[in-house]
Amino acid sequence: VYNMSRLMPKEVNKEQMKRIQDLNTAARYLEYRINELCPKGRERKIALQWLEEVVMWANKAIAREELS
């Protein structure tokens, strides 16, 4: 029995794509606000890196969701 690798891209349906787009829109707004409100420096850089990671994992959770 062949199991699909977790590293292979996974197709998403229209509903999943809409949720991913909504998440990305919210993240872009948060990125804008972080850049606007936080002074340049190590902390802001880390906050933006973690935001990128959060979005990546959230999008992956949506894409890997088993829909019935």
Side-chain angles (χ1 to χ4, degrees):
V1 175
Y2 172 75
N3 291 329
M4 182 175 17
S5 168
R6 294 182 61 83
L7 301 177
M8 296 294 292
K10 185 149 168 64
E11 290 187 33
V12 295
N13 64 30
K14 287 181 183 182
E15 184 270 336
Q16 288 171 306
M17 181 56 72
K18 170 76 169 94
R19 288 167 41 210
I20 288 170
Q21 289 170 343
D22 288 349
L23 241 170
N24 291 341
T25 298
R28 281 193 303 274
Y29 177 72
L30 184 54
E31 176 187 32
Y32 168 77
R33 295 297 287 167
I34 289 169
N35 279 319
E36 181 179 53
L37 299 172
C38 299
K40 287 184 180 180
R42 179 177 175 268
E43 292 83 1
R44 183 170 92 175
K45 183 177 178 180
I46 291 170
L48 293 170
Q49 287 173 335
W50 284 16
L51 175 61
E52 182 179 7
E53 186 173 345
V54 165
V55 171
M56 178 199 65
W57 285 114
N59 286 338
K60 186 167 182 149
I62 292 169
R64 299 207 49 87
E65 175 183 33
E66 294 297 326
L67 301 177
S68 51

